[in-house]
Amino acid sequence: MRSVASGLFTVIAMIAVIVAVPSMWVSQRVVSADGFTASAGDAARNPEVQDYFAQKVTASVEDQTSVPLAGALVKPLARDYTRSDGFVQDFQDIARQQHDWLFTAPGPDTDTHVMDVNVTPMVNRVIESASLPVPVTVDRPIYIGIDQHRLTAGSMESTGDLVTSTSWISMIVAIVAAALALLTANRRSTVLAWLGVGVLLAAAGAYAIAQYIRSLAGDKAADTDEAARRTVEVVADGISSDLVAVSLVVGAAGALVVVAGLILRGVAGRR
């Protein structure tokens, strides 16, 4: 009876950990605004992202001023700005706005297929460093509208809530079931080895999800302009690379648990 109970708890723990590892990562690094901002912030050092925002900031300055050749004056400054630490900070704010657009229900007058991004801090940083013939003051928010034909404002809100709940429930179930499996086992070393297999499967699942995130981002951004699409892909690549790294660490831990279980079983068998 003890072996049946232990086997049942082992299976439950394995299933739970397979769900828990990728879902907890998605919850903390994608659904969480802070996690998403930190993950996306690394993309600010990518030259393609920098060039895209340098172009957008230059165009915004041209639209906001009546100074002749303002764009030509600002363009090299915008390029220098996007290579600075200040741009990294401002880009993280952009990432937070993008997260809010995806994970927060839109207002009644919102165009659900256009992501309006406030780039006023970026424009102000560039203008402050420019030697324009006349003083320029930006007295209203400046937005860049990014068409999102395959995404909808707030479309990830319910999914995000579900992922967060699932991640915590599955993590708790995995811990409790694993403990009960070991406590009720006749051969704890065997149970330990099987739990390690579960962790290995969780790592494989996380790796598969990382590849899915990369392909999904490319598909969702397919209808946007080339520069915006590449920006989305760079951010997605950074996020998925982080999950790949996590999956490798988890996989290594699972392998160690399997080996430990097999060694303990071999030692016990000699007694």
Side-chain angles (χ1 to χ4, degrees), residues 71-156:
L73 292 170
V74 169
K75 186 174 182 178
L77 297 173
R79 181 176 175 82
D80 290 341
Y81 154 69
T82 56
R83 269 67 179 173
S84 69
D85 291 337
F87 173 69
V88 176
Q89 298 173 12
D90 293 338
F91 184 80
Q92 288 180 324
D93 179 65
I94 295 293
R96 189 175 293 274
Q97 293 179 53
Q98 293 173 326
H99 181 277
D100 290 344
W101 188 85
L102 284 170
F103 288 92
T104 304
D109 298 325
T110 302
D111 187 334
T112 57
H113 289 287
V114 176
M115 183 187 296
D116 289 322
V117 178
N118 188 341
V119 296
T120 309
M122 292 185 173
V123 173
N124 283 334
R125 283 186 191 268
V126 174
I127 290 178
E128 288 173 3
S129 64
S131 299
L132 297 176
V134 296
V136 175
T137 301
V138 177
D139 56 1
R140 63 185 179 85
I142 302 171
Y143 290 93
I144 294 175
I146 303 174
D147 289 334
Q148 299 288 347
H149 298 295
R150 301 190 184 187
L151 290 174
T152 304
S155 59
M156 300 299 293

Side-chain angles (χ1 to χ4, degrees), residues 53-63 70-72 74-76 78-79:
F53 278 94
Q55 173 190 351
K56 290 299 183 181
V57 169
T58 301
S60 296
V61 172
E62 286 182 311
D63 292 341
V74 169
K75 186 174 182 178
R79 181 176 175 82

Side-chain angles (χ1 to χ4, degrees), residues 162-179:
L162 177 62
V163 168
T164 299
S165 300
T166 300
S167 66
W168 285 107
I169 292 172
S170 59
M171 183 64 71
I172 293 171
V173 170
I175 293 171
V176 173

